[in-house]
């Protein structure tokens, strides 16, 4: 099967986890490929904390307009090679303020360049603004209020990311309440480093429509029934879950069981660089390990598009394009 030819939808990819060697070299011209692999690729990660250290190195070189534009162009290059036709790109605006930009300027720079790349490459996109577990309540509120401030059809959602083992949801409940009151679509990382209880707590307290990862849901059959009943979409990132040590091999991963149980799932990279993967590579692995064929991927992509945060019009257009390929 030629996975390059399959049109794809991706809902879970981080801008700051996807810097290629060429993109890093523009800011760090003396970096060798060996140094890049050691510092930016998470192959030596033992857990989520290690994974997040790699993110910090990328964020350090995404602090001015030139660097942010370069990161967006670089990601769209990769999306084009993966034959992605709709993507939701997430980033935390408050991480990019060390060289004088303010949070609104960060969003505006990324949004403008995404619009340029989208038109050029015919890849439709949405942006998801992230708050992080270690952020304060005011940081989270500042982030979600940016979505209202811009009121742009291509800024489609709000997310909570980072270390779920070290920080509670408490600082973020108000931001998610604000999102609900203002009809802002929400997802949240959960059930990755922590067990199924993390997913239950996130659904109960933040009331999200999607869960980033959510793979530990397999630990509780009642949660699986709830996910199905409430039509909660799981943004599955198989290789990422191996890199962070959630599973030791793909054969242990519940993605195939989730599919068989008719849960709404989609396949994603999470961070192309840190996980050292592509969407084509994710598809290839699932085909080899679980014998997935074109129909499996089509169903996952339709699930993902149905759960996307874009307009109904774009959902219908992309689903039709997926079905007619």
């Amino acid at each position: 099967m030629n996975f390059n030819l399959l049109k794809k939808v991706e809902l879970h990819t981080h801008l700051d986890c996807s810097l290629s060697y060429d993109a890093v070299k523009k800011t760090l011209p003396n970096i060798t490929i060996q140094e890049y692999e050691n510092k930016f690729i998470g192959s030596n990660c033992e857990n989520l904390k290690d994974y997040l250290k790699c993110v910090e190195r990328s964020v350090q070189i995404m602090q001015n307009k030139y660097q942010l534009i370069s990161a967006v162009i670089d990601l769209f290059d990769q999306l084009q090679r993966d034959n992605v036709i709709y993507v939701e790109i997430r980033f935390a605006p408050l991480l990019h303020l060390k060289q004088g930009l303010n949070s609104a300027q960060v969003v505006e720079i990324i949004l403008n360049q995404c619009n340029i790349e989208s038109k050029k490459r015919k890849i439709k996109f949405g942006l998801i603004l992230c708050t992080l577990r270690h952020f304060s309540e005011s940081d989270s509120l500042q982030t979600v209020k940016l979505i209202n401030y811009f009121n742009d059809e291509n800024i489609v959602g709000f997310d909570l990311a980072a270390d779920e083992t070290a920080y509670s949801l408490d600082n973020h409940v108000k931001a998610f309440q604000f999102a609900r009151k203002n009809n802002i679509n929400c997802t949240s990382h959960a059930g990755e480093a922590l067990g199924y209880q993390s997913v239950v707590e996130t659904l109960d307290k933040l009331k999200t429509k999607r869960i980033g990862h959510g793979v530990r849901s397999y630990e509780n059959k009642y949660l699986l029934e709830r996910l199905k009943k409430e039509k909660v979409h799981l943004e599955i990132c198989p290789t990422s879950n191996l890199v962070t040590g959630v599973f030791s091999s793909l054969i242990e991963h519940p993605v195939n069981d989730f599919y068989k149980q008719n849960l709404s799932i989609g396949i994603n990279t999470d961070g192309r660089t840190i996980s050292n993967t592509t969407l084509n590579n994710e598809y290839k692995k699932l085909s080899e390990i679980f014998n997935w064929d074109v129909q499996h991927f089509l169903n996952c992509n339709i699930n993902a598009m149905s759960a996307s945060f874009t307009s109904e019009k774009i959902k219908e257009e992309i689903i039709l394009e997926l079905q007619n390929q």
Side-chain angles (χ1 to χ4, degrees), residues 219-284:
E219 296 168 346
N220 185 275
K221 66 177 184 179
Y222 299 107
L223 173 57
L224 292 175
E225 288 168 11
R226 178 180 178 181
L227 293 172
K228 202 187 300 187
K229 183 181 176 187
E230 295 180 13
K231 297 179 180 172
V232 176
H233 179 80
L234 300 183
E235 306 156 1
I236 302 292
C237 311
T239 297
S240 173
N241 298 150
L242 305 187
V243 175
T244 57
V246 182
F247 304 103
S248 59
S249 68
L250 195 56
I251 197 74
E252 297 174 10
H253 199 287
V255 59
N256 194 49
D257 290 330
F258 288 168
Y259 182 92
K260 286 179 179 175
Q261 292 175 61
N262 292 318
L263 268 72
S264 175
I265 62 168
I267 305 303
N268 309 271
T269 57
D270 196 10
R272 282 170 166 73
T273 296
I274 302 177
S275 297
N276 196 20
T277 194
T278 64
L279 207 48
N280 286 331
N281 189 46
E282 297 295 315
Y283 282 35
K284 185 169 181 284

Side-chain angles (χ1 to χ4, degrees), residues 92-107:
L94 301 194
L95 290 182
H96 306 282
L97 313 181
K98 291 174 186 168
Q99 288 182 23
L101 293 174
N102 63 44
S103 55
Q105 287 172 325
V106 170
V107 175

Side-chain angles (χ1 to χ4, degrees), residues 166-184:
Y167 302 91
S168 76
L169 295 177
D170 295 349
N171 283 351
H172 312 292
V173 172
K174 282 190 180 174
F176 279 83
Q177 287 172 345
F178 177 91
R180 284 199 302 282
K181 283 177 189 168
N182 289 275
N183 297 313
I184 295 169

Side-chain angles (χ1 to χ4, degrees), residues 125-151:
F125 78 98
L127 295 182
I128 295 176
L129 305 192
C130 293
T131 187
L132 303 177
R133 283 271 186 161
H134 53 278
F135 279 4
S136 67
E137 185 172 273
S138 63
D139 288 339
S140 266
L141 283 166
Q142 183 186 342
T143 303
V144 75
K145 285 176 181 178
L146 281 167
I147 301 170
N148 252 23
Y149 171 77
F150 277 91
N151 191 27

